[in-house]
Amino acid sequence: MLIDEALSVRKAQRFLMKSQYWPREEIDRHQNRKLRLLVRNAYDNVPYYHEALRKLNLRPEDIRTKSDIIKLPILRKSDLRGNLDRMLASNLKALAMPSQTGGSTGEPLKFYTQKETWKWTTAARYRAWSWCGYEPGDRMVELWGTPFEIKELERFSAKLRNTLLRKMTLNCFTMSDESMAEYARQMQAFKPKVLRGFTSAVYLFAKYVSEHRIKGIQPKSVITTAENLYDFQRKKIEETFGCPVYDGYGSRETSLSAQQCEAKDGYHISEENSIVEFLKDGEPVSPGESGDIVITDLHNQVMPWIRYSIEDVGRPAGEKCSCGRTLSMIKSIEGRIHDIIVTPDGRRVPGEFFPHLFKDVTGIKEYQIYQGSKDGLSVFIVRDSAFSEKEASYLLRHMREYLGSQIAIEMKYVDEIAKSPSGKRRFTISAVSPDN
Ligand SMILES: [Zn+2]
């Protein structure tokens, strides 16, 4: 099974290695064709879309090219809630794979995907890694959030997959001095060509390595993702490991991925997999202006994502990239706002910890973590009727596991969570400097 999967991903990757240099018209043609198929199936077999298009007096024939996409309604996270069954294509139920995400705005989200989507997403990720010199079979270390509760069989298959892919995964939610010392030893022995991870975790690790003058960790490149990369973080990581940092952006729910190439002038979008729009008040913005990122996933027919507002803000780039690839670019991304949580016993937990934990919990509409002092943090939760003691104790148990026993954790149930003045919801806020 693993071999079959690997072969299908390789094949898709070979396709993508060519299509990244296609003339613009050819990418457009590819997207238009995929869009027509997507809309046709959504109209014929997905109750939610059938109704939504009929309400607007639209037929699948009305969507011929990307320029027609603006006729279709925006899909918001709130539309998905309670509508999950109606989002599923009746003709493809057998292919549906349940999945979930913490969501980049802190609302856990359940959805369906299919193998086809996974294949193209994985292939696009491999292609993006190839821009930083990674080739299949190269050693990679990932500083990543590992699942909170996994079965023995899953544990075994993850280990097998890692061995085959020559990958080592280190849990980035345990970034104490002791665990980082151990991670450093493991990396010295494993000698990864590429180090990849949640941005704040890679940064914390680079700081540790530099402060303790640890030698022998020399990747050829570092890939950061899932959280904003600030200039001071890039500088620290590049100085410490003596190699370039490539920043990536993607979403768990759709097959969008975008990453910097060697030119570092923006993030090339995996346009073979998705159509990306940048909107302000419903209208496309001009290059360089910031707009809401709206994604149409061209590969998920099981549960179509058409004009999905991911609630991140970004700026489209206008000019072509000097690397010669024709894929459009995101100039900058202004989403993903997380802070690091610092505990009295010296742990530093990346903000990504919380969406990772909350995604497995039912009955939560929104949440926000606020750390006012080193000794305590508040967990604000907007719950619905599905939330019970069981969910509360699950959250508390895993927070204790990673945050330790010395920090006070207070759960507060509220009716709503205020947005920041910019309108962007921040879901992990710490008033404590991680340098403390
Ligand atoms: Zn480029």
Side-chain angles (χ1 to χ4, degrees), residues 54-104:
R54 280 186 62 101
K55 263 191 196 153
L56 292 166
N57 232 341
L58 282 173
R59 304 267 309 158
E61 305 81 271
D62 297 322
I63 312 301
R64 300 295 308 159
T65 69
K66 282 193 290 178
S67 58
D68 297 318
I69 208 169
I70 201 137
K71 297 176 189 166
L72 296 165
I74 299 285
L75 177 67
R76 301 194 183 280
K77 289 186 178 173
S78 52
D79 297 327
L80 294 165
R81 269 170 226 298
N83 262 329
L84 202 54
D85 289 340
R86 299 182 64 245
M87 303 287 306
L88 200 54
S90 56
N91 58 333
L92 299 170
K93 278 187 180 165
L95 299 178
M97 295 159 37
S99 189
Q100 55 203 338
T101 160
S104 59

Side-chain angles (χ1 to χ4, degrees), residues 126-138:
Y126 275 117
R127 171 178 67 182
W129 294 354
S130 79
W131 302 338
C132 8
Y134 173 90
E135 285 169 40
D138 283 342

Side-chain angles (χ1 to χ4, degrees), residues 261 263 268 321 323 325:
C261 68
H268 282 290
C321 187
C323 73
R325 294 180 188 93

Side-chain angles (χ1 to χ4, degrees), residues 131 260-266 268 321-325 327 329:
W131 302 338
Q260 294 180 324
C261 68
E262 52 278 34
K264 307 266 183 67
D265 203 19
H268 282 290
C321 187
S322 59
C323 73
R325 294 180 188 93
L327 303 170
M329 290 197 293

Side-chain angles (χ1 to χ4, degrees), residues 42-185:
Y43 181 83
D44 287 349
N45 299 301
V46 180
Y48 176 87
Y49 279 109
H50 188 80
E51 191 184 312
L53 266 69
R54 280 186 62 101
K55 263 191 196 153
L56 292 166
N57 232 341
L58 282 173
R59 304 267 309 158
E61 305 81 271
D62 297 322
I63 312 301
R64 300 295 308 159
T65 69
K66 282 193 290 178
S67 58
D68 297 318
I69 208 169
I70 201 137
K71 297 176 189 166
L72 296 165
I74 299 285
L75 177 67
R76 301 194 183 280
K77 289 186 178 173
S78 52
D79 297 327
L80 294 165
R81 269 170 226 298
N83 262 329
L84 202 54
D85 289 340
R86 299 182 64 245
M87 303 287 306
L88 200 54
S90 56
N91 58 333
L92 299 170
K93 278 187 180 165
L95 299 178
M97 295 159 37
S99 189
Q100 55 203 338
T101 160
S104 59
T105 52
E107 300 167 53
L109 201 64
K110 294 192 188 311
F111 60 95
Y112 292 101
T113 184
Q114 64 180 109
K115 266 237 164 92
E116 184 70 4
T117 319
W118 172 84
K119 178 184 85 179
W120 285 103
T121 311
T122 310
R125 203 180 301 131
Y126 275 117
R127 171 178 67 182
W129 294 354
S130 79
W131 302 338
C132 8
Y134 173 90
E135 285 169 40
D138 283 342
R139 289 172 197 269
M140 176 183 276
V141 166
E142 284 187 318
L143 275 172
W144 212 257
T146 57
F148 290 98
E149 289 181 353
I150 51 171
K151 297 182 194 80
E152 206 44 49
L153 190 67
E154 289 168 31
R155 203 185 302 273
F156 174 75
S157 97
K159 261 191 178 161
L160 179 66
R161 195 182 293 267
N162 268 358
T163 308
L164 288 174
L165 296 173
R166 305 181 86 193
K167 201 193 264 181
M168 177 187 277
T169 306
L170 302 172
N171 191 352
C172 73
F173 297 147
T174 54
M175 299 294 279
S176 63
D177 283 2
E178 297 74 46
S179 58
M180 285 197 276
E182 176 56 26
Y183 292 173
R185 278 193 290 277

